[in-house]
Amino acid sequence: MSNSLIQILVLGAIAVFLIMRLRNVLGTRDGFEPPREAAQPQALPRRAGPVPVEPEAGDVLDHAEPGSPAAAALTEMQRTEPGFAVGPFLSGARQAYEMILTAFERGDLTEVRAFLAPQVAEAFEAVIADRKARGIVTEVQYLGTRETALDGAVFDPQSRVGEVSVRFVGELIAAHRDAEGNVVDGDPKAARKQRDVWTFARRMGQDDPNWQLVATA
């Protein structure tokens, strides 16, 4: 028998031996076997995106009564758009109130028209047009917003439109003069308080962050 054939037989025998050893050690999977305890995986990077909001959590209860319809509506808004927070919204609403009220009193809605729903813009324009037709000129000085508070909230899960009503108390000096310069409304020397409840609306989850004024009272 040649040396090469002997070597082949020896290598073959070693291979068979190794295969048998592996089968004895590893076994075979026949039927159900209890799962082996897996090694602890390394922590994965956190997925980008909002953290789920717990019911009536965060700043909602700072502004709405627990269990109230307003609290439930605001919570649903946060579930739909986790970046929404009531506190910052009220701050933005206060700024919008000051801008819109001042623009209305001065009779020029150019800079605030994007924040007005069509029906509100139309109503404001009608009043402004009437003043102009009668030659009324307005002098206005806004002194500040003394109160900003949540008045109510509703949310439509089908359209994803949220509406938030805000109660404002503003202070301003405003006087309306006729063509002859006579004061026909207001007082150019005395401040007055303006109390309003304005409702702002927006489709939650959309890219446009701007709310629109949809109703005044």
Side-chain angles (χ1 to χ4, degrees), residues 9-189:
L9 292 175
V10 171
L11 291 175
I14 293 173
V16 170
F17 174 78
L18 291 176
I19 290 173
M20 295 299 296
R21 290 283 296 173
L22 287 173
R23 287 179 62 87
N24 291 334
V25 173
L26 300 179
T28 58
R29 288 191 172 270
D30 295 326
F32 171 79
E33 291 186 45
R36 296 179 180 176
E37 183 177 350
Q40 292 296 323
Q42 294 183 351
L44 298 176
R46 291 186 177 181
R47 294 177 58 186
V51 178
V53 178
E54 294 299 324
E56 297 188 0
D59 66 342
V60 169
L61 298 184
D62 291 337
H63 305 279
E65 289 293 326
S68 66
L74 293 169
T75 300
E76 289 302 317
M77 291 183 204
Q78 288 188 340
R79 285 198 180 102
T80 304
E81 184 177 314
F84 168 68
V86 183
F89 165 80
L90 291 175
S91 297
R94 182 180 66 247
Q95 295 176 12
Y97 176 73
E98 296 175 1
M99 292 173 57
I100 294 170
L101 183 59
T102 303
F104 170 71
E105 292 290 350
R106 289 176 177 169
D108 185 1
L109 302 178
T110 304
E111 294 184 357
V112 299
R113 191 175 299 276
F115 305 108
L116 305 176
Q119 70 273 15
V120 173
E122 183 179 347
F124 283 5
E125 288 285 13
V127 175
I128 292 171
D130 178 68
R131 289 177 184 169
K132 289 182 178 179
R134 293 186 290 129
I136 301 297
V137 177
T138 302
E139 301 171 359
V140 60
Q141 179 184 0
Y142 196 82
L143 303 178
T145 305
R146 306 311 180 199
E147 180 182 341
T148 304
L150 180 78
D151 192 71
V154 295
F155 179 70
D156 184 347
Q158 300 299 321
S159 63
R160 293 186 296 133
V161 172
E163 292 188 3
V164 183
S165 297
V166 184
R167 184 173 62 256
F168 300 104
V169 177
E171 190 171 2
L172 68 159
I173 299 173
H176 302 282
R177 298 180 183 272
D178 61 16
E180 286 74 36
N182 301 312
V183 176
V184 295
D185 186 28
D187 188 335
K189 297 181 180 180

Side-chain angles (χ1 to χ4, degrees), residues 189-205:
K189 297 181 180 180
R192 66 178 172 86
K193 288 186 177 181
Q194 173 99 7
R195 291 177 171 83
D196 294 291
V197 175
W198 284 10
T199 300
F200 300 87
R202 178 173 171 269
R203 179 171 287 105
M204 309 305 293

